Amino acid sequence: MRLISKTLIFSLSTLVLLSSTTYSIYQGPRNPIKSATFVSESFEVGPGSIVNKAFLDIQFPRGHVGVKSFDAELVDEEGNSVPLYDTYLHHFFAIKYFVKANMSKDGHDPFEGFIFKRNEGMCNSYILPHYWGLGTESRGTTSKIPDPFAVEHGNPAYIPPGYQEKWLLNIMGIDTRGAKDKKGCTECRCDRFNLPKDFYNVTMGIDGKPLSTNYKGGIFCCHDGLQCKLKKGAKAPSRKLSLRYKITWVEWDEHQIPLKFYILDSTDRVRKNGTSTIHDCQAEYTIMTNGGSDYHVQKANIPMEKGGYLIYGTAHMHAGAVNATLYGQDGRTLCTSTPKYGTGKEPGNEEGYNVGMSVCYPKPGSVKINDGETLTVESRYESGFLTGVMGQMYIYVAEKLPQEKITPQNNSPLLM
């Protein structure tokens, strides 16, 4: 069981091309799919404000379940979808933790006694620990898992004795109403914010050291409570927003096949220390102006201790993204995820914003990752100055297939 520190995890937080068809090779008894829509606690935003909140013990299917999808968006108090040009959803993270049953909360530390359980990805420490999480692309990126596969949670065998499994949401939004530079604010560009005079002395970077003045932008300049610089005389009312999220799931039984969820980061600085592999994910990066080149490519070579069959793949990227691709050790393409940019004003189609990422649904059994295979994650952005960009592949992998005989057609994934 890979566990992460409660202290470190929250230092980061203060840190379509779609088809309705997916492959299913399962013809056995079907467990009815359940569905529920939940709404998080509300939080207040005003013109130019940044919110970075953690909400504990959120509503989530209880018991031993197999999650089939998790989709989310920002809404106002009336339940209306909030457009990205008003409040930019930088990210939401759904994070699993264990807490002692009937533990009272008398201290000042709301996370006292928590044990956090991260996904199967190899990123170090507190970085990218979530099981579900996207940003502006969340409305237009399907998270549906085909039968008979599911993401298993609530298995009593994996819950420490005397503890309960629970979930939290980390939500980061940037209200750009009235901002002098909306794009600069959404990139968390440091000089676009009213930073305290001692900001660089008291703010810790991803390495745990005081943030360098060379840090031009990213999540560390988007702390909760900071403020984008506003146009003179800009006014707009404060309002309360929430994250509305819909989960579909099945009750776990012998017919479900568990998936392992990996986040593979293109900034991972992988190195060897003897026989050990050391991962050093940065989560984000800055692209400096690159004269003469149309694109900037960021890549990492990541060894997979355990392989399996690729069932689902997509990417998390920001505006300016061209695509992200996952390659096998022999150079074969396992999945390419491409952004869709909005062309209108309505929520889900905001002009110029990344409103969806394409999803790979290989025919089950057709794309296999071998044990010990080194994968290459490559994220490609347009050339030009960009701060706080991300290039992460999200993949679901099955270590086994249903009992039915599978005859792979080829090794090329199908893109939906």
Side-chain angles (χ1 to χ4, degrees), residues 345-413:
K345 291 186 176 181
E346 65 275 17
N349 188 36
E350 297 92 332
E351 184 175 3
Y353 290 87
N354 176 4
V355 296
M357 296 295 297
S358 66
V359 173
C360 300
Y361 284 114
K363 185 174 182 179
S366 66
V367 178
K368 185 177 182 181
I369 299 168
N370 296 315
D371 292 351
E373 182 172 0
T374 295
L375 305 183
T376 297
V377 182
E378 179 182 283
S379 59
R380 186 181 299 264
Y381 276 83
E382 296 173 354
S383 182
F385 183 54
L386 296 169
T387 61
V389 300
M390 297 184 176
Q392 296 143 14
M393 290 296 301
Y394 291 7
I395 61 172
Y396 290 92
V397 175
E399 293 186 355
K400 66 177 183 177
L401 294 172
Q403 294 301 313
E404 287 82 2
K405 183 178 180 181
I406 305 300
T407 305
Q409 299 293 315
N410 53 57
N411 289 323
S412 298

Side-chain angles (χ1 to χ4, degrees), residues 16-19 21-23 140-146 149 259 309-315 323-327 333-339 356-364 366-367 369 393-397 411-416:
V16 152
L17 315 178
L18 300 178
S19 167
T21 302
T22 60
Y23 269 104
T141 306
T142 184
S143 61
K144 181 181 178 182
I145 300 297
F149 306 99
L259 294 178
Y309 300 95
L310 182 64
I311 303 301
Y312 171 107
T314 193
N323 60 41
T325 301
L326 182 66
Y327 297 99
T333 299
L334 304 183
C335 175
T336 294
S337 183
T338 305
M357 296 295 297
S358 66
V359 173
C360 300
Y361 284 114
K363 185 174 182 179
S366 66
V367 178
I369 299 168
M393 290 296 301
Y394 291 7
I395 61 172
Y396 290 92
V397 175
N411 289 323
S412 298
L414 296 177
L415 297 182
M416 299 295 178

Side-chain angles (χ1 to χ4, degrees), residues 33-228:
I33 295 179
K34 300 180 179 181
S35 175
T37 299
F38 308 104
V39 179
S40 76
E41 293 181 48
S42 64
F43 51 90
E44 188 170 304
V45 297
S49 65
I50 300 173
V51 293
N52 196 334
K53 304 294 186 183
F55 298 120
L56 303 178
D57 193 16
I58 64 168
Q59 292 177 295
F60 194 91
R62 301 302 184 185
H64 191 184
V65 300
V67 177
K68 304 289 289 183
S69 67
F70 189 119
D71 301 303
E73 66 166 340
L74 286 181
V75 295
D76 63 19
E77 288 184 283
E78 287 72 43
N80 301 311
S81 299
V82 176
L84 296 170
Y85 50 77
D86 280 353
T87 302
Y88 179 91
L89 178 60
H90 184 278
H91 70 255
F92 76 88
F93 291 161
I95 301 172
K96 180 160 69 173
Y97 65 97
F98 303 121
V99 63
K100 286 185 178 180
N102 302 317
M103 186 178 74
S104 61
K105 282 293 180 182
D106 298 327
H108 297 293
D109 182 359
F111 314 116
E112 182 180 358
F114 286 17
I115 301 173
F116 291 96
K117 175 67 172 68
R118 63 173 303 126
N119 62 66
E120 300 293 333
M122 282 70 73
C123 280
N124 42 301
S125 187
Y126 61 98
I127 299 174
L128 306 176
H130 50 286
Y131 282 85
W132 291 275
L134 291 170
T136 64
E137 75 277 29
S138 60
R139 288 190 182 108
T141 306
T142 184
S143 61
K144 181 181 178 182
I145 300 297
D147 292 334
F149 306 99
V151 184
E152 183 183 14
H153 292 292
N155 187 338
Y158 301 143
I159 300 175
Y163 282 75
Q164 297 175 334
E165 179 184 287
K166 295 192 176 185
W167 292 82
L168 69 84
L169 278 175
N170 170 228
I171 305 168
M172 178 176 162
I174 306 170
D175 193 301
T176 59
R177 293 175 297 162
K180 284 184 178 180
D181 181 2
K182 282 179 177 277
K183 183 175 182 292
C185 286
T186 62
E187 291 180 15
C188 295
R189 209 172 282 186
C190 300
D191 60 3
R192 301 301 192 265
F193 294 91
N194 295 315
L195 299 178
K197 290 183 179 180
D198 61 349
F199 178 77
Y200 285 97
N201 294 327
V202 300
T203 303
M204 298 297 108
I206 202 166
D207 56 1
K209 300 176 181 178
L211 197 64
S212 168
T213 54
N214 293 324
Y215 183 80
K216 301 300 181 184
I219 49 179
F220 294 104
C221 280
C222 271
H223 286 194
D224 182 60
L226 290 181
Q227 181 81 27
C228 291

Side-chain angles (χ1 to χ4, degrees), residues 274-306:
T275 58
S276 299
T277 300
I278 308 298
H279 294 271
D280 187 14
C281 297
Q282 304 300 298
E284 62 173 6
Y285 58 103
T286 291
I287 299 173
M288 306 304 292
T289 301
N290 189 8
S293 177
D294 292 333
Y295 305 111
H296 178 277
V297 177
Q298 176 76 27
K299 64 174 63 179
N301 299 317
I302 302 174
M304 297 283 288
E305 181 178 340
K306 189 73 174 175

